[in-house]
Amino acid sequence: MQPLKQYWIAEALEKDLGDPTNPNNVMSFKQVIDLDEREEFPHEIIDWLYNWKLQHYYIPTECGGEFTSFDEFIAFVRVLSRRDQTSAIAFTTMFWSYLTWMAGTDEQKRTLSSFMKDANGAMCLAYSEKAHGSDLLASDVRATKVPGGYILNGEKWPINRATISGVTFVLAKTDEAGGARSLSLFMVEKSKIDPANYTHLPKIYTHGIRGSDMSGIRFENCFVPESMRLGAEGVGLELALKGFQITRALCAAFSQGAADTALRTTLKFALGRQLYGKTVFDMPQPKRTLTDAFLDILICDCATIGVARGFNTMPEQISVWSAVVKYFVTTTLETVVQNVSVVLGSRFYMREEHDWGIFQKVLRDNAIISMFDGSTVVNLHALLLQLRQLTKSRARNAGRNQDTLQARLLATFDLTQSLPAFDGKKLELVNRGGDDVLQGLELALTSLSDLKTDSNLNSEVLQQIIQLTQMVQEELKTLDHQITESTFQFGHEQAPEVFDIAKQYCVLHAAASCVYMWLYNRHHLGDFFASGEWLALSLRKLLLTFRPAKALPARLGDEAVSQELVRLYSHNRMFSIVPFQLAQPQQQETTTDATQRLQLQA
Ligand SMILES: Cc1cc2nc3c(=O)[nH]c(=O)nc-3n(C[C@H](O)[C@H](O)[C@H](O)COP(=O)(O)OP(=O)(O)OC[C@H]3O[C@@H](n4cnc5c(N)ncnc54)[C@H](O)[C@@H]3O)c2cc1C
């Protein structure tokens, strides 16, 4: 069994869902493609997941469920998403329940927990409005105070699972002149409001996730009791933004599941297809594309897992960290899917060829991840507003409290460390304490230098890791200087150049995450991980954002990485720094078996 406990649920779910290439299994590629073609909601799959009791892992233990940590959560969402993002997203709207776990009364928590566990209940998030998109404060939906509750009026659109859900989290205006405190959040239980006062809007036909219940909801003079308000009146926007910090970071898991399937199905093709007397994988160019895709997945893994664990260890910094992964991981993995499509050749564009056409579905479905839950620009905007403060903190904290910083980094990145309980009250709207991940680069360089005496390490690889980490630090200094010199003003009309700085910040953050992940896990994630070639290659890849190839150390040979990719594929393991076991293909009836049986019958 996998030694890291946080992967046990993912492995168990994988095993029970079975091989996705077996058409008879629930969530098989064939089944999800059929549903997609018919644009049908995946009721049967969702029921299967409820019967498996997966919903318990969306409810924290203190609220009666089994959820303990975000790194466990992202592992099993990857399992769902590698098979079908439509079902994964449909089931995972349940994670909006975190709004209640964070801000609800004991009674609201009990109600929701029982709704999810005992009634197979699901929820949706109704924030967006047709006229206002990302501009939440402009909401036209009104909740007017009346004795005992509110009268809700207005329309939310487009909303995933608006129709097929029993609870709707609605953001509505309760104070016209309240500014940032003009919105309140309601946990509307449809079973307890008058059906005459709300209607569901028609299904929206989408480019990807076609089987989703994409629709909307309209309230007309709908009475909602005061007991359905979450938190105090006027704290709706603050709650919404804190809830986004959680769900945006977790969106990375959807992209990682998709990237795994895109790479796996393409690798299968490349290993099997013969051209010019060799396999496609034997040709240097396709091989490099697939190896680079694997490296990107490993980089994203380090960033995502670090942030997932950061919820427990450093919740005060999540306002920055979640924006980093929502931007960096989703867009990087979108590019991975595009890049490997070139190796799949014409088949990527065909809707039936190759593993039932799962690639074209992944390509369409995955495109939404970087857009919903706050688009790329919205996340970069949330990050860039904090850059000046981060730069100041970095200068102020330089060289101070190194032992506590080291301890926090260890708790976050060492996957064998047990995590403290998550305390949602510690989430901050804006980061005040700095960013440990980039603050710790000096410490990382000292630790790397100490490894020079380790005879198990290839000195050339270690030297590159050190050199490239120094470059990451140099680029951070340049960025800090640019931020200090800029004439930056708060607001929505930011220059494109500031967005570029925010993008670069994300790349540096990801690079530093890879370095810590290696430093703190070299002894327990296997030989491939420990040898560090993947890290040197990944850092070099990330630094290409800043410097031309010829200004970087020469690329190390990547044969070990290519071989690991094929090894993980052959053993049905996740493409990950923690390559946990995936469902094994069913024992096929081999020719030998069949022949033996025929001989016995004769
Ligand atoms: C499949 C799908 C599922 C969805 N699910 C839900 C759901 O469950 N619940 C829900 O509430 N909503 C949902 N949405 C809505 C989604 O969150 C909105 O589409 C989103 O808020 C963006 O709004 P918009 O597309 O109208 O773009 P707008 O916000 O109108 O943006 C228009 C343009 O302005 C740019 N822009 C916006 N803000 C900035 C900024 N600060 N700086 C620079 N440029 C900016 C954008 O990039 C874009 O180019 C879903 C949408 C889709 C497509």
Side-chain angles (χ1 to χ4, degrees):
M1 187 191 266
Q2 162 65 241
L4 294 172
K5 190 169 168 287
Q6 60 268 42
Y7 291 89
W8 290 358
I9 299 303
E11 280 192 346
L13 182 62
E14 257 294 326
K15 189 160 173 279
D16 290 348
L17 282 167
D19 175 15
T21 64
N22 177 348
N24 299 324
N25 284 338
V26 71
M27 284 189 103
S28 68
F29 293 148
K30 166 141 181 28
Q31 192 197 4
V32 303
I33 290 283
D34 286 350
L35 285 167
D36 194 64
E37 286 291 323
R38 299 198 300 270
E39 312 214 13
E40 258 178 38
F41 187 81
H43 287 288
E44 193 195 332
I45 292 172
I46 300 291
D47 286 347
W48 188 96
L49 296 173
Y50 276 120
N51 289 337
W52 200 84
K53 306 281 180 225
L54 190 61
Q55 69 277 23
H56 290 230
Y57 294 89
Y58 288 70
I59 308 168
T61 44
E62 66 273 19
C63 298
E66 305 278 350
F67 173 88
T68 51
S69 76
F70 293 93
D71 57 345
E72 181 176 81
F73 184 84
I74 56 168
F76 73 71
V77 172
R78 276 170 96 159
V79 164
L80 297 179
S81 192
R82 88 176 186 99
R83 295 152 189 276
D84 180 27
Q85 280 180 315
T86 311
S87 316
I89 292 166
F91 197 78
T92 305
T93 58
M94 217 180 310
F95 214 56
W96 292 120
S97 56
Y98 234 101
L99 292 163
T100 304
W101 315 142
M102 276 199 308
T105 60
D106 287 346
E107 182 55 32
Q108 286 169 330
K109 288 178 191 172
R110 261 194 305 275
T111 304
L112 195 62
S113 175
S114 148
F115 173 65
M116 290 164 72
K117 285 193 302 187
D118 310 328
N120 289 0
M123 54 232 54
C124 70
L125 186 83
Y127 287 2
S128 289
E129 294 176 18
K130 199 176 233 169
H132 305 298
S134 316
D135 188 359
L136 296 183
L137 269 178
S139 172
D140 283 329
V141 173
R142 298 278 185 277
T144 312
K145 191 86 188 76
V146 290
Y150 295 82
I151 299 290
L152 213 51
N153 271 299
E155 187 176 296
K156 294 289 183 182
W157 180 98
I159 310 300
N160 191 21
R161 284 206 81 161
T163 302
I164 309 175
S165 59
V167 166
T168 305
F169 288 106
V170 183
L171 203 53
K173 201 162 264 183
T174 40
D175 179 359
E176 295 297 330
R181 295 183 70 83
S182 62
L183 300 175
S184 299
L185 190 58
F186 296 87
M187 180 177 107
V188 176
E189 293 168 72
K190 288 184 195 164
S191 62
K192 295 188 187 153
I193 57 174
D194 189 339
N197 296 124
Y198 72 92
T199 39
H200 296 126
L201 304 180
K203 178 176 166 73
I204 300 161
Y205 292 91
T206 45
H207 174 63
I209 54 166
R210 290 183 179 170
S212 292
D213 162 33
M214 283 300 304
S215 59
I217 188 162
R218 182 184 305 129
F219 298 99
E220 279 171 272
N221 296 322
C222 183
F223 176 78
V224 294
E226 191 150 350
S227 59
M228 287 186 188
R229 197 190 63 227
L230 274 182
E233 203 178 275
V235 300
L237 185 62
E238 180 178 337
L239 276 179
L241 295 177
K242 287 185 175 171
F244 273 147
Q245 287 183 20
I246 298 178
T247 54
R248 283 179 183 169
L250 303 178
C251 280
F254 293 129
S255 300
Q256 278 175 310
D260 189 281
T261 295
L263 178 56
R264 197 171 296 274
T265 196
T266 307
L267 182 62
K268 179 180 177 182
F269 167 80
L271 290 168
R273 178 128 172 124
Q274 297 274 337
L275 287 179
Y276 322 116
K278 285 183 162 193
T279 70
V280 167
F281 191 71
D282 286 331
M283 287 193 269
Q285 171 64 19
K287 189 176 193 172
R288 172 66 62 86
T289 304
L290 297 176
T291 305
D292 275 351
F294 181 40
L295 286 175
D296 277 326
I297 289 177
L298 298 182
I299 294 168
C300 290
D301 219 6
C302 294
T304 308
I305 296 173
V307 174
R309 292 176 63 85
F311 276 102
N312 297 70
T313 58
M314 299 180 232
E316 307 83 356
Q317 302 191 7
I318 290 294
S319 62
V320 168
W321 292 19
S322 70
V324 168
V325 294
K326 178 64 173 55
Y327 160 70
F328 177 82
V329 173
T330 62
T331 57
T332 301
L333 295 178
E334 242 172 64
T335 308
V336 161
V337 178
Q338 289 286 352
N339 289 348
V340 301
S341 75
V342 176
V343 177
L344 200 53
S346 60
R347 277 159 183 77
F348 100 89
Y349 208 67
M350 297 179 185
R351 277 169 57 195
E352 287 171 329
E353 278 283 322
H354 200 68
D355 282 349
W356 295 271
I358 194 66
F359 192 99
Q360 54 82 18
K361 181 173 179 308
V362 166
L363 188 66
R364 281 186 285 109
D365 289 357
N366 189 48
I368 190 60
I369 312 294
S370 66
M371 211 297 302
F372 69 13
D373 246 34
S375 64
T376 294
V377 286
V378 165
N379 276 280
L380 289 171
H381 186 252
L383 176 61
L384 67 84
L385 293 180
Q386 304 181 64
L387 287 178
R388 186 172 289 263
Q389 185 57 36
L390 288 170
T391 295
K392 282 187 189 161
S393 306
R394 203 158 17 257
R396 192 173 55 242
N397 295 333
R400 295 174 60 198
N401 303 321
Q402 298 290 282
D403 290 347
T404 47
L405 176 58
Q406 181 84 276
R408 289 202 300 268
L409 288 168
L410 175 91
T412 305
F413 287 95
D414 180 344
L415 303 188
T416 64
Q417 298 282 314
S418 54
L419 290 166
F422 170 63
D423 180 359
K425 292 194 178 57
K426 288 191 178 161
L427 292 178
E428 298 270 6
L429 282 182
V430 286
N431 182 309
R432 279 178 243 283
D435 178 353
D436 280 1
V437 171
L438 289 173
Q439 192 82 49
L441 278 172
E442 198 65 53
L443 281 173
L445 280 163
T446 308
S447 304
L448 290 172
S449 181
D450 291 346
L451 291 180
K452 283 181 184 161
T453 53
D454 187 334
S455 56
N456 292 321
L457 281 172
N458 176 316
S459 57
E460 190 195 354
V461 174
L462 179 63
Q463 191 44 44
Q464 265 218 10
I465 293 173
I466 294 174
Q467 197 181 349
L468 292 163
T469 307
Q470 280 163 344
M471 288 182 176
V472 171
Q473 197 187 33
E474 285 162 20
E475 292 300 340
L476 179 63
K477 282 191 181 134
T478 308
L479 224 55
D480 278 341
H481 182 69
Q482 275 176 279
I483 295 165
T484 310
E485 294 292 298
S486 75
T487 51
F488 171 84
Q489 300 285 329
F490 286 98
H492 281 287
E493 290 176 22
Q494 299 296 336
E497 290 73 19
V498 192
F499 277 87
D500 288 342
I501 294 180
K503 285 183 189 170
Q504 289 169 351
Y505 188 92
C506 296
V507 176
L508 297 177
H509 192 284
S513 300
C514 294
V515 175
Y516 303 121
M517 208 50 97
W518 187 66
L519 280 170
Y520 293 120
N521 296 285
R522 284 191 313 114
H523 299 297
H524 39 257
L525 290 185
D527 293 344
F528 166 76
F529 183 86
S531 65
E533 276 108 331
W534 70 271
L535 176 60
L537 288 159
S538 298
L539 291 174
R540 190 175 184 282
K541 199 165 188 306
L542 290 167
L543 279 160
L544 285 167
T545 311
F546 302 89
R547 303 180 186 198
K550 61 184 176 201
L552 296 171
R555 184 181 161 115
L556 291 176
D558 58 13
E559 193 51 32
V561 182
S562 313
Q563 279 177 18
E564 175 70 0
L565 172 65
V566 175
R567 193 184 72 81
L568 296 182
Y569 168 78
S570 323
H571 290 84
N572 290 302
R573 290 188 167 267
M574 194 62 133
F575 297 141
S576 168
I577 58 163
V578 186
F580 60 88
Q581 186 64 58
L582 300 179
Q584 301 280 16
Q586 266 177 345
Q587 205 62 46
Q588 297 290 322
E589 187 183 53
T590 63
T591 323
T592 335
D593 289 339
T595 316
Q596 277 170 355
R597 218 176 40 232
L598 286 172
Q599 282 167 349
L600 283 173
Q601 282 167 358

